[in-house]
Amino acid sequence: MTTSSIMLDVSGLSKSFVLHTQGSARIAVFDNLSLQVHAGECVALDGPSGAGKSTLMRMLYANYRTDTGAVRVHHRGTMVDLATAPPRTVIDVRRRTLGYVSQFLRVIPRVSTLDVVAEPLRALGTAGEEADERARGMLQRLNVPERLWDLAPATFSGGEQQRVNVARGFVAELPVLLLDEPTASLDAINRQCVVDLIGEAKSRGAAIVGIFHDRRVRDDVADRVFDMSETLAAGGAAA
Amino acid sequence: MPDDQMLLRVEGVTKSFGAVRACHDVTFDLWPGEVLGIVGESGSGKTTLLNCLAGRLEPDSGTVAYRNRADELSDIFAMSEPERRMLSRTDWGFVHQNPRDGLRLDITAGGNIGERMMMVGARHYGNIRTEAETWMDRVELDLDRIDAAPRTFSGGMQQRLQIARNLVSGPRLVFMDEPTGGLDVSVQARLLDLLRELVRELRVAVVIVTHDLAVARLLSDRLMVMRDGTVVESGLTDQVLDDPQHEYSQLLVSSILQV
């Protein structure tokens, strides 16, 4: 793979929400949006609150549906369109290719922090002991205290949960990463740690799309800013 | 790769009880290792559909085709009754909401697990006993209780025993009808986590009926939302729950109380 290869190819993307339970209000988010991200490149989404940055991120992960347009991801040698792929294909793309670090950790009762972090590796077939070892390394790096590793993260502080989330998102070294404010509730040391992780991911060829409200972080990691203030669908918010 | 071929192909399944249309024109495919959640309120036809899929209730029209271990896709209602019964013992499991419907309450816990093994041909007592012990442990039941009758168990313990009884024979497809339905919340969480682990580890395909969207999110890869016997929306689980399109799905999701 060359560094110039396209990993994520978004074209003609449109999105609106129709709220049936609230008088069928229709909220247009954006219209005919296109974006390409190459291997080794980090693109920061920018725009005012409500411009649709998080909505776009969720569409890139196929968490939200696409009205029109395509979200093509370089997956196992071909470009797969997540907007039309069947669920089991989307699941395979998420397992092998596309990682997502959200602002909040979705906690599963009784699952330990170490298992939460090691799980993406196990899903790729990494043997249990090796997966655990790499998960420990990642938790150590993000300064999550060792006494917490055997506990479920439900009761952790916001910053601790965020770091568990980052560890989980980076451990499998997936080729495309989506980062929704990965440093939102972190202190300076841990923020730098995440900046380093992003830098390393880029140098191994990962394509990254992120929302970084912290300007210092964005300046450190982003190669390009994608301005979403112009993509707002005609007619504005409500119609 | 066997995963390239669907395990179950369901086409146009329709079932009415008199004038009541319990499920109408349901069509979907299920792949090996895939977990499909069927959600909807009471009376939406979920359980009727599940019973049709599992060969327990014959649909008025439509077909349910299953790919057997010999790689033949055949209509389960075109089979003879003994063939279908054999399939439900060797290849399938069925976890009932009420464990009393899926267990024999008078024989021991170990016997409940062992009986299912004997249905698929196990004969050696020592092996059956050892395997029963292994499964007691896997579903987190105290080994001391192996010779006790399940009527002396709590609801949560009975449900875990029912799961052990269903999984011990290595089924390829398990049907579950509200498996966490009658349990306390703390017991539910433990059972859910256990189910999630077992399903992933054994790579078994599951069709699970539940009215609890949190259960559906935790266990299933894909969802079908049913209302008045019809599938109104289907897709990737997190997509259906986070960006529901149909009016009824939106109502279901927005009705969840936040804690």
Side-chain angles (χ1 to χ4, degrees):
Chain A
M1 192 188 304
T2 63
T3 49
S4 65
S5 60
I6 292 172
M7 298 300 289
L8 189 61
D9 185 6
V10 177
S11 56
L13 208 60
S14 301
K15 179 67 179 174
S16 58
F17 294 101
V18 179
L19 309 178
H20 292 291
T21 57
Q22 295 173 54
S24 295
R26 184 175 174 278
I27 299 170
V29 186
F30 45 72
D31 192 25
N32 198 25
L33 180 151
S34 296
L35 168 67
Q36 290 184 337
V37 188
H38 295 78
E41 185 185 31
C42 177
V43 175
L45 305 183
D46 192 28
S49 186
K53 300 187 293 295
S54 287
T55 296
L56 174 59
M57 291 288 268
R58 284 169 176 263
M59 288 169 78
L60 299 184
Y61 196 60
N63 176 224
Y64 283 0
R65 297 187 207 231
T66 293
D67 296 346
T68 59
V71 177
R72 292 193 195 85
V73 178
H74 186 97
H75 174 67
R76 304 179 87 173
T78 57
M79 295 303 276
V80 174
D81 179 11
L82 295 181
T84 54
R88 61 202 185 94
T89 303
V90 176
I91 289 168
D92 192 55
V93 169
R94 288 175 177 181
R95 185 186 301 133
R96 296 169 194 275
T97 302
L98 184 64
Y100 184 73
V101 178
S102 64
Q103 289 183 64
F104 305 103
L105 182 65
R106 191 175 282 283
V107 182
I108 299 164
R110 295 213 311 161
V111 179
S112 77
T113 295
L114 187 68
D115 286 338
V116 168
V117 177
E119 201 260 343
L121 285 171
R122 296 208 189 102
L124 285 171
T126 308
E129 192 41 46
E130 194 200 329
D132 285 355
E133 199 50 49
R134 284 171 63 185
R136 281 189 210 103
M138 195 55 88
L139 286 166
Q140 205 139 37
R141 203 169 156 183
L142 284 153
N143 305 302
V144 178
E146 194 168 343
R147 63 191 157 78
L148 299 181
W149 297 357
D150 289 331
L151 306 177
T155 56
F156 291 8
S157 74
E160 282 161 352
Q161 290 198 6
Q162 174 88 328
R163 282 176 279 151
V164 172
N165 222 3
V166 170
R168 178 182 159 88
F170 279 86
V171 74
E173 304 190 345
L174 298 178
V176 183
L177 290 175
L178 308 171
L179 310 175
D180 190 349
E181 299 225 47
T183 60
S185 39
L186 301 185
D187 60 25
I189 293 172
N190 287 308
R191 198 164 53 221
Q192 186 55 44
C193 190
V194 174
V195 168
D196 293 344
L197 281 171
I198 294 171
E200 285 163 31
K202 281 165 63 180
S203 38
R204 66 174 157 75
I208 296 172
V209 180
I211 301 172
F212 310 99
H213 278 157
D214 187 325
R215 186 165 288 278
R216 285 161 300 175
V217 172
R218 187 170 68 196
D219 291 345
D220 279 346
V221 301
D223 300 288
R224 184 154 64 90
V225 171
F226 183 75
D227 185 3
M228 291 191 66
S229 53
E230 302 297 312
T231 57
L232 193 66
Chain B
M1 232 174 75
D3 282 36
D4 289 345
Q5 293 185 309
M6 80 272 300
L7 191 62
L8 200 64
R9 161 152 276 184
V10 178
E11 286 177 300
V13 166
T14 297
K15 177 74 189 175
S16 300
F17 298 105
V20 180
R21 203 175 62 177
C23 69
H24 179 70
D25 198 18
V26 176
T27 297
F28 69 92
D29 293 330
L30 185 75
W31 271 264
E34 199 172 38
V35 181
L36 171 71
I38 304 175
V39 298
E41 291 171 328
S42 309
S44 59
K46 316 186 289 287
T47 298
T48 298
L49 175 61
L50 192 73
N51 284 327
C52 287
L53 302 179
R56 302 160 63 88
L57 186 65
E58 187 160 357
D60 299 333
S61 58
T63 56
V64 177
Y66 173 74
R67 186 180 306 278
N68 64 20
R69 292 182 201 254
D71 208 21
E72 299 149 350
L73 195 66
S74 44
D75 185 350
I76 61 168
F77 291 104
M79 292 174 189
S80 67
E81 180 61 34
E83 275 180 303
R84 196 159 55 235
R85 202 179 309 131
M86 190 62 193
L87 204 57
S88 70
R89 287 173 176 175
T90 57
D91 276 35
W92 297 352
F94 197 105
V95 176
H96 298 264
Q97 172 170 10
N98 188 337
R100 289 175 190 83
D101 296 333
L103 290 174
R104 290 182 48 187
L105 295 177
D106 296 322
I107 67 170
T108 64
N112 266 283
I113 301 174
E115 186 185 50
R116 173 88 180 182
M117 292 173 67
M118 289 166 73
M119 285 177 186
V120 293
R123 288 292 173 266
H124 186 278
Y125 177 78
N127 293 348
I128 293 173
R129 178 84 181 177
T130 311
E131 190 69 8
E133 285 174 359
T134 305
W135 273 92
M136 290 283 287
D137 188 52
R138 286 183 87 166
V139 298
E140 303 173 12
L141 287 169
D142 199 336
L143 273 187
D144 292 347
R145 303 297 293 273
I146 193 167
D147 295 318
R151 68 164 70 255
T152 66
F153 287 11
S154 70
M157 289 167 69
Q158 287 180 350
Q159 196 55 298
R160 278 178 276 143
L161 182 64
Q162 193 192 179
I163 286 161
R165 177 179 160 98
N166 270 281
L167 294 182
V168 66
S169 55
R172 300 163 75 210
L173 174 58
V174 177
F175 301 96
M176 299 185 186
D177 188 5
E178 304 273 11
T180 61
L183 304 174
D184 289 340
V185 180
S186 61
V187 179
Q188 260 193 33
R190 182 181 190 188
L191 188 75
L192 273 177
D193 182 39
L194 188 75
L195 276 176
R196 199 183 63 94
E197 272 171 34
L198 288 171
V199 162
R200 289 193 181 186
E201 194 182 314
L202 304 171
R203 298 265 311 133
V204 57
V206 177
V207 180
I208 178 171
V209 159
T210 179
H211 69 276
D212 186 332
L213 298 184
V215 169
R217 188 191 281 274
L218 202 60
L219 291 179
S220 52
D221 301 314
R222 249 167 79 200
L223 281 189
M224 292 197 319
V225 181
M226 282 188 81
R227 184 196 196 184
D228 297 338
T230 306
V231 176
V232 297
E233 181 165 358
S234 64
L236 203 62
T237 296
D238 61 87
Q239 217 174 51
V240 172
L241 294 181
D242 294 339
D243 188 16
Q245 303 294 304
H246 190 273
E247 186 178 352
Y248 180 66
S249 319
Q250 291 189 357
L251 180 67
L252 270 189
V253 171
S254 66
S255 303
I256 303 172
L257 295 174
Q258 302 285 329
V259 288

